[in-house]
Amino acid sequence: MGSVLAASSPPPPGSGVVQGAPGLVSAPPGFSMPSVPPPSVPGQPAGETGSPLPNPGTYEECHRKCKEVFPIQMEGVRLVVNKGLSNHFQVSHTVTLSTLAESGYRFGATYVGTQQTGPAESFPVMVGDMDNTGSLNAQVIHQLTSAVRSKIAIQTQQHKFVNWQCDMEYRGDDFTSAVTLGNPDVLLGSGIIVAHYLQSISPALALGGELVYHRRPGEEGAVTSLMGRYTGNNYVATLTLGGAGAHATYYHRANDQLQLGVEFEGSMRTQETAVSFGYQLDLPKANLLFKGSVDSNWVVGAVLEKKLLPLPLSLALGAFLNQKKNKFQCGFNVTVG
Amino acid sequence: HLADTLIQRNLQEWISTACRFATDRNDFRRNLLVNLGLFAARVWVARNLSDFDLMSPQPIT
């Protein structure tokens, strides 16, 4: 879930490293990860090339602003120690004690290269971590040209490769397209291809689509979905419609302290719908960040993050309560450095 | 008299449709409508929560 430092300086929206996403690693706080300029709001000046329409960002980022408002479920105790060895290299040690998941130790390393493409962007970026059983998560992101970015991600479970994927992203003046190849296996003839396209229609409106094609011996299929995003002065509304269901998010920045998010998910396949409401209270003067959420499945959750200045220490307390199933879960994180 | 009969018949039909929906075992449709209504209500709440300042000085009582 990250420290207060990461939360008070929100992670760059274009970063390919997202905390909590399966198969990907989280960037240690305080490290600059490749960022993507957020989509422009109406009235903002056009891009550098003089195009009247701004680049809309990537397809995955569209729901991210709302998702970041919600608290992340925590369980057990976690101690994270980050140590920067140089301007380009940082290591982290994570000890986890948990009753639901495996307890253990993880060692993480991050390298940021010397090819600087922007004030907060340097390439290549290599992030990896390994736990005490030998399971590895690794990611390499590199800017090949000014418009093309590539990423390779690998996940292993001990000695066995579980996930491996490669993606290429092309950023035009007013559009972004990306192709991801997941778990390709030439011998078996299996794999997954995901194609994204997002086009700015107006400075506020962006429309796009996603095509997922999967293949394995004896079976193949494709799923498509369409997406629309509207950006206002202090809000972002996004809607994704596909064969599997619908996903709508609304993000609203009420003021400097308060951000709100509402999310709707509906699946035709599982015949289930859910609505969640989340809010984030940011008080930098008090070194405090509070996130809360409540959803239609009677799950109430909250996370409190506090920087314990002048110590380089951050404390996070989280709790989730499922009223329907009578389940309670709480967690405690300490981050040093 | 004919108009009254028509109105009465329409009302009965509407009530029976509403009762059939309320007792329908297809929970997905009911949940979908309820959740869509909740989504709209919460978007309205989010758009109207702007005068919130935790760091403002407390009023002197």
Side-chain angles (χ1 to χ4, degrees), chain A residues 11-25:
Chain A
S15 168
V17 177
V18 175
Q19 201 158 17
L24 302 176
V25 299

Side-chain angles (χ1 to χ4, degrees), chain B residues 18-33:
Chain B
C19 288
R20 209 180 312 126
F21 174 75
T23 56
D24 196 345
R25 289 183 184 182
N26 185 3
D27 287 327
F28 172 67
R29 191 170 56 170
R30 189 170 48 215
N31 287 339
L32 177 66
L33 287 176

